[in-house]
DNA sequence: ACGAAGCCCTGCAAGC
DNA sequence: TGCTTGCAGGGCTTCG
């Protein structure tokens, strides 16, 4: 389940193999992702090459001279670099073959992911136009969160998982950042002090950076573009640790459902 | 404007 | 053993 560190790890894993290398074949094996893969994609990409590959939120943006390929991994998606003619897995839905005998493959069992194409300025694309700041950018800071949250009644966990507030903080890292900051996930966003937002910003940044450094969190079968697993899972303090002792105080961690998302926290340490 | 709920989908695990 | 059920959850979309 890719969150920002997993997407960043994927970006780093695939870039060197495909940047500035000619695309010689585009294979759409199953176009039925979240939105259909555009059927004119092969003619848009064939004989072209990616001049720039970057990430915005959890979207991977692969640009040619003429437009940008937008890839989202959804819940279960992964990208891998494989040699040409590697046998397909059941859920390999999309493939770009390059002149260097490498192929970029999208595997996505649940098909929540997306592969789209745009010729427009990427910042104006409807999926990206209204996104909040990147959590690792200076725009994501205590003043920003404090101002934005005034009079908001929504709970803090949902608030920081809202991509209009800040991008890239999914369920796992929301749980972790709130634990590290001693904030109860149920607390209304509008009733948190500036000082506590400062703590939350610092912790969110620290946790995301560390997860990126370790290659993301491997749950089930996530692997980076090089096929190596992430190692962050062993660092998780609350997520997936229901009923286990709190690392701070030893109290059994509690699991609740908040906005239909699994939420694990310590009632003793998080107020 | 805000907040809550619905929906897309398959694999896996728990329960009967 | 084999079935059913529930959960995983990103994020757009719809409804109140």
């Amino acid at each position: 389940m890719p969150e920002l560190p997993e997407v960043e790890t994927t970006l780093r894993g695939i870039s060197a193999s495909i940047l500035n290398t000619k695309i010689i074949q585009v294979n759409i094996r199953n176009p039925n992702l979240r939105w259909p893969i555009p059927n004119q994609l092969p003619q848009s990409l064939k004989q072209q090459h990616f001049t720039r590959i970057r990430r915005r939120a959890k979207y991977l943006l692969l640009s040619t001279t003429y437009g940008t390929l937008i890839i989202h991994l959804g819940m279960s998606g992964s990208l891998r670099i494989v040699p040409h003619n590697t046998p397909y897995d059941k859920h390999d839905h999309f493939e770009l073959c390059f002149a260097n005998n490498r192929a970029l493959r999208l595997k996505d069992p649940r098909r929540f992911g997306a592969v789209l194409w745009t010729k427009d300025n990427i910042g104006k694309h409807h999926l990206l136009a209204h996104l909040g700041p990147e959590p690792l950018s200076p725009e994501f800071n205590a003043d920003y969160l404090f101002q934005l949250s005034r009079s908001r009644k929504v709970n803090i966990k949902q608030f920081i998982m809202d991509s209009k507030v800040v991008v890239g903080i999914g369920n796992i890292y929301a749980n972790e950042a709130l634990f590290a900051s001693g904030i109860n996930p149920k607390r209304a966003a509008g009733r948190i002090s500036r000082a506590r937002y400062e703590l939350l910003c610092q912790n969110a940044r620290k946790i995301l950076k560390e997860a990126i450094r370790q290659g993301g969190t491997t749950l089930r079968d996530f692997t980076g573009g090089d096929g190596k697993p992430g190692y962050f899972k062993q660092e998780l303090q609350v997520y997936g640790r229901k009923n286990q002792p709190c690392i701070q105080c030893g109290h059994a961690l509690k699991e609740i459902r908040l906005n239909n998302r699994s939420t694990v926290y310590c009632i003793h340490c998080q107020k």
Side-chain angles (χ1 to χ4, degrees):
Chain A
M1 41 201 72
E3 295 206 32
L4 187 140
E6 290 72 32
V7 179
E8 183 66 28
T9 299
T10 298
L11 173 74
R12 294 178 186 187
I14 66 172
S15 290
S17 304
I18 65 174
L19 202 56
N20 297 314
T21 306
K22 192 192 277 184
I23 299 161
I24 58 172
Q25 182 73 33
V26 179
N27 294 320
I28 302 173
R29 303 187 69 240
N30 181 355
N32 303 312
L33 304 184
R34 174 166 197 148
W35 300 285
I37 299 177
N39 49 26
Q40 80 277 17
L41 197 58
Q43 65 205 54
S44 299
L45 286 174
K46 234 172 166 180
Q47 303 303 315
Q48 302 301 317
H49 58 272
F50 295 123
T51 54
R52 188 179 179 197
I53 303 177
R54 62 199 193 281
R55 177 188 64 73
R56 170 72 174 114
K58 293 174 187 168
Y59 296 96
L60 290 166
L61 307 173
L62 298 83
S63 298
T64 72
T65 308
Y66 302 105
T68 299
L69 185 71
I70 303 172
I71 299 178
H72 196 288
L73 299 175
M75 282 290 306
S76 57
S78 59
L79 285 169
R80 286 199 65 181
I81 301 289
V82 296
H84 284 183
N85 303 318
T86 300
Y88 289 113
D89 284 344
K90 184 179 172 187
H91 298 293
D92 286 341
H93 304 313
F94 175 74
E95 177 181 51
L96 296 177
C97 298
F98 294 85
N100 61 0
N101 195 40
R102 301 285 104 178
L104 177 70
R105 279 195 190 163
L106 173 69
K107 175 180 175 179
D108 187 4
R110 289 167 69 180
R111 292 189 275 120
F112 279 22
V115 176
L116 298 169
W117 174 254
T118 182
K119 291 180 179 173
D120 300 333
N121 181 328
I122 195 67
K124 294 188 173 140
H125 191 274
H126 73 280
L127 289 174
L128 295 128
H130 307 290
L131 294 175
E134 290 285 329
L136 299 178
S137 74
E139 289 73 35
F140 179 66
N141 59 50
D143 283 342
Y144 167 76
L145 279 184
F146 182 73
Q147 293 301 333
L148 194 63
S149 64
R150 290 313 88 185
S151 83
R152 292 288 300 268
K153 291 177 180 142
V154 68
N155 66 68
I156 183 61
K157 180 160 175 268
Q158 196 179 1
F159 185 69
I160 60 168
M161 287 176 70
D162 182 346
S163 63
K164 290 194 285 300
V165 175
V166 57
V167 300
I169 300 186
N171 197 41
I172 295 172
Y173 297 103
N175 277 298
E176 294 300 315
L178 289 169
F179 173 76
S181 308
I183 300 172
N184 187 315
K186 291 190 285 189
R187 177 170 288 274
R191 300 198 52 211
I192 292 173
S193 69
R194 189 188 299 260
R196 298 186 89 197
Y197 273 121
E198 182 64 51
L199 204 54
L200 183 57
C201 278
Q202 286 172 10
N203 282 317
R205 261 199 218 104
K206 191 169 125 192
I207 290 165
L208 288 170
K209 276 187 185 168
E210 185 58 18
I212 291 168
R213 200 184 67 75
Q214 297 196 30
T217 303
T218 294
L219 296 176
R220 297 194 176 86
D221 62 350
F222 170 80
T223 55
D226 55 2
K228 289 180 190 155
Y231 294 99
F232 196 68
K233 188 172 183 201
Q234 55 217 16
E235 305 283 321
L236 297 177
Q237 315 249 289
V238 284
Y239 184 85
R241 295 195 62 244
K242 171 190 177 182
N243 295 334
Q244 293 179 47
C246 168
I247 282 148
Q248 301 280 345
C249 75
H251 224 96
L253 296 174
K254 187 177 179 184
E255 182 176 58
I256 58 169
R257 295 197 74 75
L258 215 47
N259 311 105
N260 215 24
R261 295 283 197 274
S262 168
T263 304
V264 187
Y265 71 110
C266 175
I267 56 166
H268 189 253
C269 297
Q270 294 174 257
K271 300 294 184 189

